[in-house]
Amino acid sequence: MRLAVLLTLLTLSVAALPARAQADAATIQAIEAVAYDYVDGQLEGDPVRVARALHPDLAKRAVRPAPDKDEVLGLRRMSKDELVELTRQGVLKTPREKWDRSVRVLDVTGTVAVARVETPWFVDYFHMGRFGDRWVIVNAMWQPKAR
């Protein structure tokens, strides 16, 4: 009887763990690699690296602190092509010794994941999807940091 109760409690405890804890190490590493392609690619000024991390229909957005008069809930919007072009222009290119960035996988459920990326300049939250064996960033919501 005691063993049955213990097994039930253990099963309930595992089921209550966040999905990230249940994802295997290879999945977490694959998701982190994509997030690092995104951020490191921008810091290197490498548009190819950034592009491979992004879904073709990427939606990258930031809340506008002062929206346009015609837009009550203002968003700054960016497509994959725009982000890749900004990378090509070297907008965030930074010497490696000044890199200070982190990636944290927050949740993984089946073929979707959420990750957080932070640099001295911004914080991004990614919705990512797995397509076959490949993870890509589908949505990115970001917040610039005060300089």
Side-chain angles (χ1 to χ4, degrees):
M1 178 68 170
R2 285 183 153 197
L3 181 58
V5 170
L6 183 60
L7 288 174
T8 301
L9 289 174
L10 181 60
T11 301
L12 291 174
S13 296
V14 169
L17 288 174
R20 188 218 186 289
Q22 295 176 12
D24 61 79
T27 298
I28 299 298
Q29 286 180 328
I31 293 166
E32 288 173 342
V34 171
Y36 278 117
D37 276 345
Y38 171 91
V39 69
D40 292 356
Q42 289 181 71
L43 296 176
E44 291 170 345
D46 183 345
V48 173
R49 189 169 181 190
V50 172
R52 76 176 176 221
L54 305 175
H55 188 278
D57 197 26
L58 172 76
K60 181 173 170 69
R61 295 182 171 92
V63 173
R64 284 190 181 175
D68 294 338
K69 64 179 178 164
D70 297 331
E71 193 172 30
V72 176
L73 302 173
L75 291 173
R76 178 171 182 229
R77 295 168 178 87
M78 191 180 306
S79 68
K80 175 184 179 178
D81 292 341
E82 290 169 302
L83 181 58
V84 170
E85 180 54 32
L86 288 171
T87 303
R88 183 176 279 101
Q89 293 171 18
V91 172
L92 287 179
K93 193 167 182 177
T94 304
R96 190 173 290 270
E97 64 272 5
K98 293 187 178 182
W99 288 14
D100 180 19
R101 81 278 191 264
S102 64
V103 171
R104 189 171 56 179
V105 178
L106 303 176
D107 190 26
V108 181
T109 303
T111 60
V112 297
V114 178
R116 181 181 193 274
V117 171
E118 184 168 358
T119 73
W121 308 281
F122 57 82
V123 175
D124 271 289
Y125 289 91
F126 298 151
H127 289 140
M128 300 173 73
R130 186 179 69 219
F131 300 86
D133 292 332
R134 182 176 175 216
W135 287 92
V136 294
I137 301 163
V138 177
N139 297 311
M141 187 75 170
W142 67 284
Q143 173 70 47
K145 289 183 172 180
R147 294 215 185 216

